[in-house]
């Protein structure tokens, strides 16, 4: 039997930690909102500003879950329904016109969703199991079974699971950490509640 | 030349997303890579694109960048001598 030890919900300028609101911003602009949140962190990480929006969101959600974490054997299972499409569009626009063909290397490197996993792994020095799933909605049962398999077979001591959506200014992140002890039973009903 | 250096600093801050750095923080002779601004390999590629996009300079050999991108001073000198866009 495994448990959820912490969960985070980020959407519409608000952040909830274990169901309790910890940030309530009146800005509707994602870029401004996420920078406000970052600047309130004690940890200085200049590379944050170079990330694309999907990675910024995954970084902040992970930071909030893992800020007091010392365990390094944490598997990462992220998911969304558009991959890196937000940045793919930006890259496509930069190569649309033959007369102004200036693809940006800094944009291009984020045209893969699992870069978000890489950014979180680098920040927290994780060399663990990881996967980024693309699905129309959060695959509760699959993620539940996969997470428990990783823990049961000692592939990881803990698993950070999350839905991280970022497209055309809309954003939503629901992250939760699964381990032996916690505050909620790790079951489909609670996962649905956390990721709704 | 001073105007070009200032413009270059503004463009580098903008294109490399150096949010916490201002024009006044960058000295003309500061190293752009390593212990200076701490730019990385992707930033180097962005600087090559910047030269092409803003000043019409195409670097045929990326290795040239090592000398050109030493500092704002060396970049400005190279741009002044080789620019095709005003």
């Amino acid at each position: 039997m495994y448990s959820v030890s912490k969960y985070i919900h980020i959407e519409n300028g608000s952040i909830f930690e274990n169901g309790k609101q910890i940030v309530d911003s009146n800005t509707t602009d994602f870029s401004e909102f996420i920078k406000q949140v970052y600047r309130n962190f004690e940890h200085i990480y200049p590379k944050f500003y170079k990330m694309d929006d999907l990675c910024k969101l995954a970084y902040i959600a992970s930071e909030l879950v893992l800020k007091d974490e010392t365990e390094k054997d944490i598997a990462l299972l992220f998911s969304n329904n558009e991959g890196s499409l937000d940045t793919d569009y930006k890259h496509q626009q930069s190569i649309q016109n033959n007369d102004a063909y200036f693809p940006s290397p800094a944009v291009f490197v984020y045209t893969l969703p699992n870069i978000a996993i890489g950014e979180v792994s680098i920040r927290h020095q994780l060399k663990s199991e990881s996967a980024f799933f693309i699905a129309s909605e959060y695959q509760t049962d699959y993620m539940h079974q996969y997470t428990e398999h990783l823990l049961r077979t000692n592939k990881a001591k803990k698993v950070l699971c999350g839905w991280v959506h970022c497209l055309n200014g809309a954003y939503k992140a629901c992250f939760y950490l699964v381990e032996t002890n916690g505050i909620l039973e790790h079951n489909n009903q609670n996962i649905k509640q956390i990721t709704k | 030349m001073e105007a070009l250096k200032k413009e270059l600093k503004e463009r580098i801050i903008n294109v490399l997303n150096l949010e916490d750095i201002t024009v006044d923080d960058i000295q003309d002779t500061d190293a752009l890579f390593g212990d200076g601004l701490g730019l990385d390999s992707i930033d180097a590629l962005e600087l090559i694109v910047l030269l092409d996009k803003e000043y019409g300079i195409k670097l045929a050999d990326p290795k040239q960048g090592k000398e050109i991108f030493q500092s704002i001073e060396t970049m400005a000198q190279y741009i002044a001598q080789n620019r095709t866009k005003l």
Side-chain angles (χ1 to χ4, degrees):
Chain A
M1 186 70 73
Y2 296 102
S3 301
V4 173
S5 58
K6 194 170 189 181
Y7 58 99
I8 293 289
H9 185 109
I10 304 175
E11 192 173 17
N12 295 330
S14 295
I15 300 180
F16 294 84
E17 183 179 302
N18 297 340
K20 181 185 172 191
Q21 188 162 20
I22 57 170
V23 173
D24 181 14
S25 169
N26 54 12
T27 179
T28 54
D29 178 68
F30 173 77
S31 181
E32 278 307 307
F33 165 67
I34 210 74
K35 276 192 273 188
Q36 279 176 11
V37 177
Y38 167 76
R39 285 175 179 141
N40 280 324
F41 288 163
E42 288 177 11
H43 187 77
I44 297 170
Y45 197 72
K47 194 169 187 294
F48 171 81
Y49 293 118
K50 294 175 180 286
M51 296 177 193
D52 73 344
D53 287 349
L54 182 70
C55 288
K56 281 178 180 160
L57 185 57
Y59 173 93
I60 293 293
S62 302
E63 200 71 16
L64 289 165
V65 175
L66 301 178
K67 62 186 173 189
D68 300 320
E69 184 60 60
T70 54
E71 177 62 58
K72 293 297 177 192
D73 188 9
I74 303 174
L76 303 176
L77 302 181
F78 294 176
S79 179
N80 73 11
N81 71 346
E82 70 285 327
S84 57
L85 193 58
D86 205 45
T87 296
D88 297 350
Y89 279 141
K90 287 175 186 160
H91 174 62
Q92 199 271 338
Q93 283 163 7
S94 73
I95 58 173
Q96 180 77 12
N97 187 342
N98 284 341
D99 296 328
Y101 188 91
F102 296 111
S104 161
V107 171
F108 180 73
V109 293
Y110 288 104
T111 56
L112 275 176
N114 52 355
I115 300 300
I117 284 177
E119 292 289 10
V120 173
S121 296
I122 292 167
R123 159 66 184 99
H124 294 281
Q125 297 173 17
L126 308 178
K127 298 170 184 170
S128 49
E129 291 281 328
S130 66
F132 198 116
F133 298 100
I134 313 292
S136 57
E137 58 186 24
Y138 197 71
Q139 301 296 299
T140 302
D141 190 46
Y142 183 84
M143 297 297 266
H144 173 254
Q145 288 188 41
Y146 192 6
T147 298
E148 299 225 339
H149 172 76
L150 288 173
L151 294 168
R152 209 169 36 243
T153 55
N154 294 318
K155 298 287 186 191
K157 297 273 185 3
K158 302 182 181 184
V159 183
L160 177 63
C161 303
W163 179 261
V164 55
H165 161 77
C166 212
L167 186 62
N168 298 327
Y171 60 94
K172 177 181 174 182
C174 309
F175 277 33
Y176 58 96
L177 187 65
V178 184
E179 56 183 296
T180 307
N181 299 307
I183 55 174
L184 289 175
E185 188 180 330
H186 181 238
N187 59 35
N188 283 354
Q189 186 183 343
N190 284 333
I191 296 171
K192 279 182 182 168
Q193 189 67 24
I194 290 168
T195 58
K196 73 176 181 186
Chain B
M1 186 63 93
E2 290 309 309
L4 175 59
K5 288 178 191 171
K6 183 171 183 292
E7 175 188 276
L8 206 45
K9 290 175 187 176
E10 288 168 348
R11 283 183 166 154
I12 287 174
I13 288 169
N14 182 44
V15 79
L16 302 185
N17 294 313
L18 305 176
E19 291 260 344
D20 292 333
I21 291 175
T22 67
V23 167
D24 294 336
D25 294 332
I26 307 174
Q27 301 305 309
D28 294 351
T29 54
D30 280 352
L32 296 179
F33 293 85
D35 293 336
L37 279 185
L39 305 185
D40 60 22
S41 56
I42 299 297
D43 295 324
L45 295 174
E46 283 293 342
L47 292 182
I48 291 173
V49 174
L50 185 146
L51 285 187
D52 186 6
K53 187 176 181 180
E54 305 296 345
Y55 302 104
I57 298 171
K58 289 186 188 297
L59 289 190
D61 180 4
K63 288 177 185 169
Q64 285 179 275
K66 196 171 181 182
E67 291 183 4
I68 299 166
F69 300 143
Q70 279 182 19
S71 65
I72 292 293
E73 184 78 41
T74 56
M75 271 190 87
Q77 280 178 9
Y78 186 81
I79 290 167
Q81 290 165 3
N82 295 279
R83 68 189 300 170
T84 60
K85 280 185 188 174
L86 294 174

